[in-house]
Amino acid sequence: YRDVVIPYATGLYFIDMNRLVEEAVEEALEFKEMGFRAIKMKIGLGDLKLDAARVAAGRKAIGPAVKLAVHANHRFSVPHALKL
């Protein structure tokens, strides 16, 4: 069993397709300001470079102290997942 659980914020969905990276950064910073120490980000746009850019920008914004997970909803094949 665990005696400590780290709650995480989930979100960073695709709302404004013209601001996918910027909106993810803004929301991630809001979660960090709320005190979350872990965040789950939605990815799986079908564009590996755009997904990688969202993750990189989110990671840079929240820093190394906040855990960052990604969820692609089965969007990637195994080769694409490994590449990303």
Side-chain angles (χ1 to χ4, degrees):
Y1 70 91
R2 296 177 191 258
D3 56 2
V4 175
V5 177
I6 299 173
Y8 65 89
T10 187
L12 290 77
Y13 297 108
F14 316 131
I15 310 284
D16 183 345
M17 298 305 283
N18 295 315
R19 298 185 67 249
L20 291 170
V21 173
E22 297 86 358
E23 73 180 2
V25 166
E26 291 164 3
E27 189 174 359
L29 288 172
E30 289 175 13
F31 287 141
K32 181 180 177 181
E33 290 172 16
M34 288 180 201
F36 283 99
R37 295 182 298 147
I39 300 169
K40 183 172 77 172
M41 173 187 282
K42 175 74 168 133
I43 64 169
L45 289 159
D47 181 334
L48 292 177
K49 289 181 182 178
L50 184 52
D51 279 329
R54 278 174 55 89
V55 173
R59 166 51 62 213
K60 183 177 179 183
I62 61 175
V66 177
K67 296 181 184 300
L68 180 62
V70 296
H71 186 198
N73 285 345
H74 310 287
R75 175 65 175 108
F76 298 121
S77 64
V78 171
H80 280 149
L82 291 172
K83 184 176 181 181
L84 182 59

